[in-house]
Amino acid sequence: MNQHQRSNEQVRRGNLVRVLSALHYDGPQSRAELTRLTGFYRSTIAALVAELIDVGLASEALPEERLGVGRPSPIVAINTHIVGIVVYPDVDAIIVAVIGLGGVVHKRVRRSMQVGHTPEQTIDVIAEVVTDLHAEFPGPYRFIGLGAAVPALVEAPTRTVTLAPNLGWSEVPFGEMLEARFDTPVVVANDAQLGAIAERQFGPGRGVNHMLYLNGSAGGIGGGAYVHGHAVRGYRGYGAEFGHIVIDPAGPPCFCGQRGCLERFVNRGELLKTMGTPSLDADEFERALIDNQDADLAREIDRQIDWLGDGIATLISSFAPQLIVLGGFLSSLFEARPERLRQRIAQRSFHQLAAHVELVRGGLGSHEVLVGAGERIFETVLTNPAGFGENRAR
Ligand SMILES: [Zn+2]
């Protein structure tokens, strides 16, 4: 191949990625829509669609409903039968899900666990569920990888769970353990970082270059940051631990070694305690927050909103984001007092930096971590669709 042919080949591969991305993120479309979306010639789209169909990543069919007059255009769709398994171990349960290309959650299974389950016990339960899922999703479904979302510090290069305080795990080579058991490519990542990926690609963060994401779970507050469209990762892949911004150095101790961290104050458990209930599902919890007829609960919500606003004000000074997305229970807390949170942030922030920040709820609800893990599983396919065909041929 000479230099000219090589650069043509590079352009063609880039165009293939562009069309596959359009199908993955924007859903099924006609060739005309793809032409408009990508700005490519119709003939280019025809060739690229043919190639995606040939490698098994897309299909084309007439729409089921024929509305209006004239010949309907065939619709090109990504192959949602290309799937990954996502596992999400939490304190008292493990979630296992089947995620397809296109960000489709095909199935979600929750298995209750004893508090204190070890990594080995976790993997045994995952193996049982995965066996069932393989039976439930036979060909044409094709499993191409496994992604673990862990509420933990995860060392990216080694896929080690450095510290998962709620699970009681430390220095667990979880990626290696999963790969040895399941013989498939494995990614392991912090759950909130995955939630951030999902909200940036499929949620309100689409097309936004400077975005922060804060996620509140039973275990604490995690996050993700995008600067110039790139996910910010610190040394060894750590970072965006927004729950550990110190709000009050004289506050209660935190497992991280500090006192008075944001997540000790803005805390789902404290809200539940004030409601007088040990647990509620996400929808019930949100309704209880929004109703808040009880004076004690109303006061606790106000306090948590104010602390959250103080934490966010610090982040605005550090990152100057355009958009802040709130996920998990923070999204429900925000829904209970949107104006109070906006005002608190405005009062406590560097004014010029805060003036244009948009604050919104996540768009994917309880699916965000699963969809984010799917993005990591599908990364190799989405960035090199031609390679997917080559792998298949082997
Ligand atoms: Zn802390």
Side-chain angles (χ1 to χ4, degrees):
M1 224 189 266
N2 64 33
Q3 197 179 347
H4 179 68
Q5 286 167 325
R6 251 198 314 275
S7 80
N8 271 350
E9 177 60 16
Q10 272 172 2
V11 169
R12 196 188 57 82
R13 287 190 173 222
N15 291 350
L16 203 59
V17 167
R18 179 77 185 83
V19 173
L20 186 64
S21 297
L23 296 173
H24 181 63
Y25 295 114
D26 298 294
Q29 318 180 44
S30 68
R31 289 187 190 187
E33 286 167 327
L34 282 172
T35 305
R36 192 166 41 77
L37 204 67
T38 57
F40 299 159
Y41 293 119
R42 288 176 65 99
S43 56
T44 307
I45 287 292
L48 294 168
V49 165
E51 181 165 359
L52 289 175
I53 292 172
D54 186 49
V55 298
L57 286 172
S59 60
E60 193 171 34
L62 286 172
E64 278 170 24
E65 284 180 34
R66 287 159 154 259
L67 294 173
V69 289
R71 200 161 52 100
S73 305
I75 299 295
V76 186
I78 203 162
N79 184 358
T80 58
H81 294 117
I82 311 288
V83 294
I85 296 232
V86 177
V87 303
Y88 188 5
D90 209 345
V91 183
D92 59 353
I94 301 171
I95 290 167
V96 183
V98 178
I99 308 290
L101 278 177
V104 181
V105 180
H106 288 296
K107 173 106 186 179
R108 178 191 174 116
V109 180
R110 184 180 187 276
R111 283 287 173 92
S112 292
M113 297 292 287
Q114 295 281 348
V115 173
H117 54 99
T118 64
E120 290 78 10
Q121 289 166 336
T122 304
I123 289 176
D124 285 344
V125 171
I126 293 168
E128 283 170 26
V129 178
V130 166
T131 304
D132 293 347
L133 290 174
H134 277 297
E136 197 178 330
F137 292 87
Y141 287 95
R142 187 174 155 201
F143 290 82
I144 65 161
L146 188 148
V150 193
L153 270 185
V154 176
E155 189 185 50
T158 60
R159 298 173 302 172
T160 298
V161 173
T162 308
L163 179 67
N166 308 300
L167 295 170
W169 299 359
S170 66
E171 299 300 337
V172 176
F174 202 45
E176 277 177 23
M177 291 168 74
L178 288 166
E179 210 158 73
R181 184 69 169 259
F182 296 101
D183 192 27
T184 191
V186 170
V187 293
V188 181
N190 171 272
D191 57 347
Q193 285 187 359
L194 294 174
I197 292 173
E199 293 296 355
R200 172 105 203 312
Q201 301 288 19
F202 289 97
R206 279 197 73 176
V208 176
N209 276 335
H210 303 276
M211 174 191 124
L212 296 181
Y213 168 78
L214 283 89
N215 178 68
S217 68
I221 294 176
Y226 281 84
V227 173
H228 282 293
H230 294 289
V232 175
R233 300 266 190 275
Y235 182 55
R236 296 159 83 197
Y238 302 148
E241 291 291 347
F242 301 148
H244 300 278
I245 293 172
V246 174
I247 294 290
D248 176 6
C254 178
F255 69 84
C256 75
Q258 299 306 311
R259 299 188 78 91
C261 292
L262 179 64
E263 69 175 40
R264 296 308 313 270
F265 293 108
V266 181
N267 188 292
R268 189 172 187 273
E270 280 302 315
L271 289 163
L272 285 170
K273 203 154 76 179
T274 315
M275 291 171 189
T277 174
S279 81
L280 283 179
D281 77 29
D283 292 341
E284 292 168 333
F285 179 78
E286 179 163 311
R287 268 195 301 278
L289 283 186
I290 292 170
D291 290 348
N292 69 79
Q293 300 301 327
D294 175 71
D296 285 344
L297 179 58
R299 248 193 317 276
E300 180 63 19
I301 293 171
D302 285 349
R303 279 150 38 105
Q304 294 208 11
I305 284 283
D306 290 351
W307 283 316
L308 181 59
D310 294 354
I312 288 175
T314 302
L315 295 174
I316 288 174
S317 305
S318 312
F319 290 94
Q322 298 162 274
L323 175 72
I324 298 175
V325 180
L326 298 174
F329 86 84
L330 298 181
S331 158
S332 303
L333 192 61
F334 172 51
E335 196 65 10
R337 297 275 195 284
E339 277 323 302
R340 188 179 178 103
L341 184 58
R342 289 202 175 92
Q343 281 169 14
R344 180 73 171 197
I345 291 170
Q347 283 164 7
R348 296 300 176 110
S349 297
F350 190 144
H351 178 71
Q352 280 80 355
L353 300 186
H356 303 291
V357 179
E358 199 188 340
L359 188 66
V360 297
R361 315 184 64 175
L364 296 163
S366 60
H367 280 169
E368 58 196 2
V369 172
L370 307 178
V371 170
E375 288 297 286
R376 293 289 313 277
I377 296 171
F378 299 134
E379 223 164 57
T380 49
V381 176
L382 292 171
T383 55
N384 183 15
F388 183 76
E390 285 153 18
N391 281 336
R392 198 177 60 152
R394 270 207 296 275

